Amino acid sequence: MRLAAQLGVAAFAGPAFAQQQQAFKVGWIRPTTGRLASSFAPLYFGGLIAVDEINAAGGILGRQIARIEEDDEASPAKEPGIVRKLREQNIGCFVGPTGSSQSLASIAATTSAKTIQATYAAAAEAGDGRKYPYHYQIMFNTDQQAHVCVEYMIKTLGLKKIGILQENTAFGEQGTAATKAILQKKFGLTPVSEQVYPISAPDLSTYVANLQKSGADGIIGWIANVPNAAMIFNAMKTLKWFPPVTGHSGLMLPALFDLVPAEAVKNVFATYYRNFTWTDAEQPGARQLEFAKKLAKYPESKGYEVNVAAAPYYDFLYCLKAAIESEKSFEPEAIKRGLDKLSNHKGLLGDISFTPENHSGIGAKDVVLVSVASGQDPRAIGCMRARAPGQ
């Protein structure tokens, strides 16, 4: 009996049990050094919350998630080397990098390496499953954002003379291209002015003045950082010109309120997710409110809550879990099969669906415009916002 018991323990402690207990390693690509390290660091907190939740609930098929972190310095040139380094450790799923330019450089390498990945890239091409079959975009893309912004300007506000203000990045270029395409195709309009500025410019007043001189009565802004936004709105204050502005969620960072006057953001509306908004008749969901409470436990997230909530990493980890459990395998090709047939997965940001051809998981119905000024409302609790009038 003693021998039988020992044999039973030995069998239980064999390869299958060891495999079950082995951590599921996920590559975690973010800048820990370089000029963007402090700005990008909070954007991964949603992913940390998801890892904690999943691990506390027993992991994925009994395996805990382990993050293997690499510093990309937010440099596109570093991305191919980081992909090689992580693949040499037999890691088949990556979280990050952040930034469209960095992400597109990384995706080019992970595609050939057949590595599952989600990045913080709003560029529409990042969701093309035919071009990038292993990358999954779980955030609104530039096409969706442009559609919401243009529709609001033309249909809701009744404006026709639209100006574009764009940073000179891959994100800015794709946002402008999408805006122009929708203006022309749907409304037969062209922008009255296109202003492209370098993100390192010390002053943006000339670009704003050019928009005013063009007769623009509304601005669509592809602006993703607070310093540039502050320069733009301060220039509007100097000119005493406050046209309606719609644009990217980067316009919503609370630090902006410390840098510009209240009147400068009164008519500014940014793209966001319906699940994190309120109206007189609707309130954010219980899951989103619970996420806001957990996020508040990260002091470093203060001032970045909106962009943390909008990051794809929380939902990506839960999509990975669903795909792995569906296929009962941790192999990248099996995970890809599971992700490619994921349909109406109830994510934090919205309902997430993929097909082999379409890897942009968020649907247009989950993307809305919100009031930037509502960030000062007590109901905002960091990452909630009031929907724009008429949305």
Side-chain angles (χ1 to χ4, degrees):
M1 289 177 65
R2 186 180 303 113
L3 179 60
Q6 290 170 344
L7 287 172
V9 170
F12 186 62
F17 181 71
Q19 174 70 11
Q20 184 185 32
Q21 297 303 307
Q22 183 182 4
F24 170 46
K25 296 179 181 179
V26 174
W28 203 265
I29 305 171
R30 72 177 183 93
T32 55
T33 60
R35 67 183 182 86
L36 294 175
S38 59
S39 296
F40 283 4
L43 304 181
Y44 291 79
F45 290 155
L48 297 180
I49 291 171
V51 169
D52 288 345
E53 288 178 355
I54 293 169
N55 284 345
I60 304 176
L61 297 182
R63 293 171 64 176
Q64 298 281 286
I65 299 172
R67 297 180 298 109
I68 308 302
E69 190 164 293
E70 288 293 336
D71 174 19
D72 70 345
E73 301 176 32
S75 168
K78 297 279 185 182
E79 305 302 346
I82 287 173
V83 171
R84 285 194 300 271
K85 185 175 181 180
L86 289 170
R87 289 300 290 133
E88 286 169 0
Q89 300 174 63
N90 201 32
I91 296 171
C93 294
F94 294 175
V95 165
T98 290
S100 287
S101 298
Q102 296 87 337
S103 296
L104 291 173
S106 181
I107 295 168
T110 54
T111 298
S112 59
K114 297 184 177 180
T115 302
I116 306 296
Q117 182 180 29
T119 66
Y120 202 133
E125 70 175 279
D128 186 342
R130 292 160 296 192
K131 186 174 183 179
Y132 301 121
Y134 293 87
H135 179 264
Y136 294 83
Q137 185 179 55
I138 308 179
M139 60 183 298
F140 44 49
N141 60 39
T142 45
D143 286 352
Q144 292 168 326
Q145 293 181 83
H147 179 84
V148 171
C149 290
V150 171
E151 288 265 324
Y152 195 73
M153 286 287 189
I154 307 299
K155 287 189 172 182
T156 304
L157 300 183
L159 307 179
K160 296 292 176 66
K161 297 179 180 179
I162 309 300
I164 296 176
L165 185 57
Q166 172 220 313
E167 62 180 44
N168 66 339
T169 62
F171 157 73
E173 290 168 5
Q174 294 212 5
T176 292
T179 301
K180 291 167 65 177
I182 295 167
L183 277 169
Q184 179 60 49
K185 183 176 180 180
K186 197 159 187 179
F187 301 102
L189 298 173
T190 56
V192 295
S193 177
E194 294 175 52
Q195 298 294 312
V196 181
Y197 65 86
I199 57 175
S200 59
D203 181 70
L204 299 179
S205 57
T206 299
Y207 302 94
V208 176
N210 287 341
L211 287 167
Q212 184 186 36
K213 291 173 185 175
S214 74
D217 52 16
I219 307 300
I220 295 179
W222 299 106
I223 306 156
N225 66 75
V226 169
N228 289 159
M231 284 189 274
I232 289 162
F233 293 126
N234 275 322
M236 288 180 176
K237 177 192 175 185
T238 300
L239 294 169
K240 295 182 172 57
W241 182 57
F242 301 111
V245 177
T246 63
H248 179 58
S249 57
L251 294 171
M252 286 191 285
L253 291 180
L256 194 61
F257 297 117
D258 298 327
L259 301 171
V260 302
E263 66 266 29
V265 294
K266 184 178 179 180
N267 295 314
V268 180
F269 307 99
T271 50
Y272 203 35
Y273 298 91
R274 186 178 299 274
N275 282 359
F276 280 92
T277 68
W278 77 81
T279 67
D280 291 340
E282 298 178 46
Q283 296 300 316
R287 188 180 181 191
Q288 286 70 30
L289 291 169
E290 183 61 26
F291 178 85
K293 291 178 184 176
K294 291 180 178 180
L295 186 57
K297 296 178 181 178
Y298 289 84
E300 304 94 331
S301 73
K302 187 171 179 58
Y304 293 92
E305 294 96 336
V306 163
N307 279 2
V308 176
Y313 305 134
Y314 181 96
D315 278 339
F316 176 58
L317 287 160
Y318 273 99
C319 287
L320 278 183
K321 182 177 186 293
I324 290 167
E325 290 176 346
S326 170
E327 298 296 313
K328 296 181 173 54
S329 173
F330 289 87
E331 291 300 316
E333 289 299 330
I335 297 173
K336 174 176 167 51
R337 285 196 303 272
L339 289 171
D340 282 350
K341 62 185 180 184
L342 197 68
S343 180
N344 292 318
H345 172 82
K346 299 300 180 184
L348 193 70
L349 301 179
D351 292 346
I352 299 169
S353 298
F354 298 115
T355 68
E357 296 78 25
N358 182 18
H359 283 188
S360 184
I362 298 294
K365 69 179 179 63
D366 290 313
V367 185
V368 296
L369 281 172
V370 298
S371 161
V372 168
S374 69
Q376 295 185 302
D377 189 302
R379 291 172 290 179
I381 56 172
C383 54
M384 308 300 171
R385 291 294 184 272
R387 231 174 286 170
Q391 286 281 282

